[in-house]
Amino acid sequence: MKSKKILFIAAAMVFLVLIAAVSFSGCLGGQNQNRGHVHGPDCNHGDPNAAYDALDNESVHQILNGSKILVAVSVIPQAEFVEKVGGDRVIAISMIPPGAGHNYDPSPRQLEDLSKASLYIKLDAGEPFENNYMNTFTQLNRNMTVVSASKGITLIRSGNATDPHIWTSPKCAMVMVENTYEGLAQIDPANATYYRDNADAYLEELRELDNDLTEMLSTLPTRYFMVYHPAWGYLSRDYNLTQIAIEVDGKEPSPRAIVQYIDLAKKNNITVIFVQEQVSVSGARAVAEGIGGDVYVIDPLAKNYVENTRHVGVVLSEKMS
């Protein structure tokens, strides 16, 4: 009995040390990571008060008794992919909660929930959050299988930097869904056929979405659109568009840069600056005022992926015409 108590205390101390390490390393670690084509060390990117929706008691009970599999992902849209493929066999948690940015610091409660996960589907595409914390996550939960959502996707690179926003293109999302299926089938082969059927049904929705976007975006009078945060690189590449990003390396543009963006917007007949709710938009508003245009919100992180991405396509087709 005494030896069991000692082991329990030792395990608890290790867990607390890991939590402390995560909390301390958030801002410091970001400065030494591959910063990506837009992501600098600014830890204020996104909402610092973004709240994680912790697992409720019933979900924890289902996970512990084996009736549900807990799957962790990095961003909210991935949670839909997991739920669509996993159906009633899974519970999904996103380690970057709604409103949070790339340099979000996970809470102790998130780490507690993550310790129960059987599978982590990482973006594996230069996401700063993953660069900072994946080693900690795998040390915390050594029984957790980790798979790559980007396997098979040609990543957008610039030097040593990589654009992590792979999910914003339905063409990439279809590959991510296949990788999600493979991860679930790997850890739960007894239900592989169930996951395959669910994946095929969802892939049909994504193919329809892809066709709709191709039709909506193929005949626009301009191929250029201006955004604050460059989240739409894969959508742009896959549908022959060009995004012009105002944010530079995770920072607000300088006054001189704002003047240059105003000139660039006028040159390309751009009248709308697209922003997302998760980031500061003062630079975008300055450019919009300079061109006599508007600021319009489109969200790359909404969970209702098919509906939201179709809405983004409609907005782009209307505002770029």
Side-chain angles (χ1 to χ4, degrees):
M1 179 66 109
K2 185 176 180 180
S3 62
K4 289 184 178 180
K5 184 175 181 181
I6 292 173
L7 287 173
F8 176 80
I9 292 172
M13 290 178 65
V14 170
F15 184 71
L16 289 172
V17 169
L18 283 170
I19 289 174
V22 167
S23 299
F24 180 72
S25 67
C27 292
L28 298 181
Q31 297 183 27
N32 298 316
Q33 300 297 331
N34 177 353
R35 289 164 31 172
H37 73 305
V38 294
H39 308 300
D42 181 5
C43 286
N44 293 319
H45 186 78
D47 180 2
N49 298 313
Y52 166 71
D53 188 11
L55 294 173
D56 58 33
N57 291 336
E58 177 61 22
S59 295
V60 171
H61 176 70
Q62 292 173 325
I63 293 163
L64 294 180
N65 70 21
S67 62
K68 299 277 190 179
I69 295 171
L70 180 62
V71 181
V73 297
S74 292
V75 296
I76 291 293
Q78 288 180 279
E80 174 168 314
F81 302 164
V82 170
E83 291 168 354
K84 289 290 187 177
V85 177
D88 59 12
R89 288 284 303 144
V90 304
I91 294 173
I93 56 172
S94 174
M95 295 305 290
I96 304 177
H102 294 284
N103 292 306
Y104 172 76
D105 293 322
S107 69
R109 179 55 194 271
Q110 283 181 274
L111 297 181
E112 181 183 346
D113 286 350
L114 182 69
S115 69
K116 304 175 181 67
S118 298
L119 177 66
Y120 196 113
I121 305 176
K122 62 178 180 176
L123 292 170
D124 199 24
E127 169 56 51
F129 175 82
E130 292 180 353
N131 291 343
N132 288 342
Y133 295 115
M134 279 308 303
N135 286 340
T136 300
F137 294 165
T138 54
Q139 290 173 24
L140 172 66
N141 185 345
R142 295 184 182 275
N143 295 319
M144 180 175 67
T145 298
V146 179
V147 300
S148 170
S150 63
K151 184 181 69 173
I153 294 174
T154 300
L155 299 177
I156 296 174
R157 303 182 189 275
S158 177
N160 293 325
T162 306
D163 184 344
H165 305 90
I166 54 175
W167 67 91
T168 56
S169 166
K171 295 182 188 297
C172 294
M174 286 186 270
V175 179
M176 296 173 73
V177 168
E178 284 289 353
N179 291 330
T180 299
Y181 159 73
E182 290 181 6
L184 287 170
Q186 178 182 341
I187 66 168
D188 186 20
N191 290 289
T193 300
Y194 173 71
Y195 299 139
R196 182 70 265 168
D197 291 343
N198 289 345
D200 288 343
Y202 189 52
L203 286 168
E204 186 59 35
E205 291 185 51
L206 292 174
R207 279 190 285 270
E208 182 178 346
L209 174 63
D210 175 37
N211 291 335
D212 289 346
L213 288 186
T214 298
E215 182 177 350
M216 283 188 282
L217 302 176
S218 62
T219 59
L220 296 175
T222 178
R223 310 311 296 172
Y224 295 88
F225 66 107
M226 189 167 284
V227 300
Y228 181 79
H229 181 65
W232 305 98
Y234 292 91
L235 180 93
S236 299
R237 179 191 68 184
D238 291 345
Y239 298 93
N240 192 30
L241 303 175
T242 298
Q243 72 169 355
I244 300 171
I246 294 174
E247 181 188 69
V248 179
D249 200 22
K251 300 175 183 178
E252 287 276 5
S254 66
R256 179 180 179 182
I258 288 175
V259 172
Q260 293 173 336
Y261 285 121
I262 290 172
D263 291 341
L264 191 58
K266 290 179 178 178
K267 179 180 178 181
N268 289 284
N269 298 315
I270 293 171
T271 59
V272 176
I273 313 300
F274 295 103
V275 300
Q276 62 190 78
E277 294 177 352
Q278 294 88 354
V279 298
S280 170
V281 296
S282 59
R285 295 191 186 283
V287 174
E289 290 174 3
I291 62 175
D294 300 315
V295 170
Y296 197 94
V297 175
I298 51 177
D299 187 3
L301 291 168
K303 184 179 178 182
N304 52 334
Y305 180 80
V306 172
E307 178 184 347
N308 180 67
T309 306
R310 182 173 282 110
H311 170 71
V312 169
V314 169
V315 169
L316 289 177
S317 65
E318 291 176 350
K319 302 298 183 181
M320 293 172 66
S321 296

